[in-house]
Amino acid sequence: MARRTTRKNPPSPRITEDAPCPCGLTARYGECCGRFHAGSAAAPTAELLMRSRYSAFVVRDEAYLLRTWAPQTRPAEVDFDPSMRWTGLEIRDTGDGTAFHQAGTVTFVASYIHDGAPGALHERSRFARHEGAWVYVDGEFIE
């Protein structure tokens, strides 16, 4: 889900603690992905890490994205495209990725509007444990 551009990062959209969480779960942002972004909790499963990373793209939380990226695949920075607005997340499938696993996959569709046109990113992401915490390793785009 990393979209690299040469543009300066735009300001983050404002999402309050009481707003619905962008990840699509029914909890409020502060009780859902916001707690992971703030560092007060760690995502206990690969799916929740995927959801929190999607929400981090929505709110443009570069620090969280880099912190939850596997060191061997982590870029130096995340550049957010100012003409991209993420509009929804649908989890299609998960494989492993629970407290009992060291690796897992999450297949998802992330909807967006880019330069006024709707689109979707379909990806199968790989996650692994690094120093006890789930991290994003890489992803394969699905046509």
Side-chain angles (χ1 to χ4, degrees), residues 28-90:
R28 295 178 302 177
Y29 172 71
E31 297 168 345
C32 195
C33 295
R35 64 194 169 116
F36 302 140
H37 296 171
S40 61
T45 66
E47 179 183 342
L48 286 176
L49 181 64
M50 173 64 241
R51 288 180 178 280
S52 69
R53 285 179 55 83
Y54 169 82
S55 291
F57 274 97
V58 171
V59 300
R60 299 183 183 130
D61 186 343
E62 179 183 30
Y64 181 76
L65 290 166
L66 293 175
R67 186 169 73 241
T68 59
W69 213 310
Q72 68 270 25
T73 58
R74 180 187 308 139
E77 64 184 12
V78 179
D79 291 325
F80 299 99
D81 185 338
S83 63
M84 176 78 78
R85 186 171 57 88
W86 297 101
T87 59
L89 177 67
E90 176 189 351

Side-chain angles (χ1 to χ4, degrees), residues 59-140:
V59 300
R60 299 183 183 130
D61 186 343
E62 179 183 30
Y64 181 76
L65 290 166
L66 293 175
R67 186 169 73 241
T68 59
W69 213 310
Q72 68 270 25
T73 58
R74 180 187 308 139
E77 64 184 12
V78 179
D79 291 325
F80 299 99
D81 185 338
S83 63
M84 176 78 78
R85 186 171 57 88
W86 297 101
T87 59
L89 177 67
E90 176 189 351
I91 302 297
R92 294 268 177 99
D93 189 36
T94 61
D96 295 338
T98 72
F100 304 105
H101 300 106
Q102 293 300 308
T105 60
V106 178
T107 303
F108 67 92
V109 175
S111 301
Y112 60 83
I113 296 176
H114 184 252
D115 288 331
L121 172 78
H122 192 183
E123 181 177 310
R124 182 174 184 261
S125 295
R126 292 187 318 127
F127 298 87
R129 292 218 185 243
H130 176 73
E131 298 178 354
W134 285 106
V135 293
Y136 169 78
V137 177
D138 59 20
E140 170 187 354

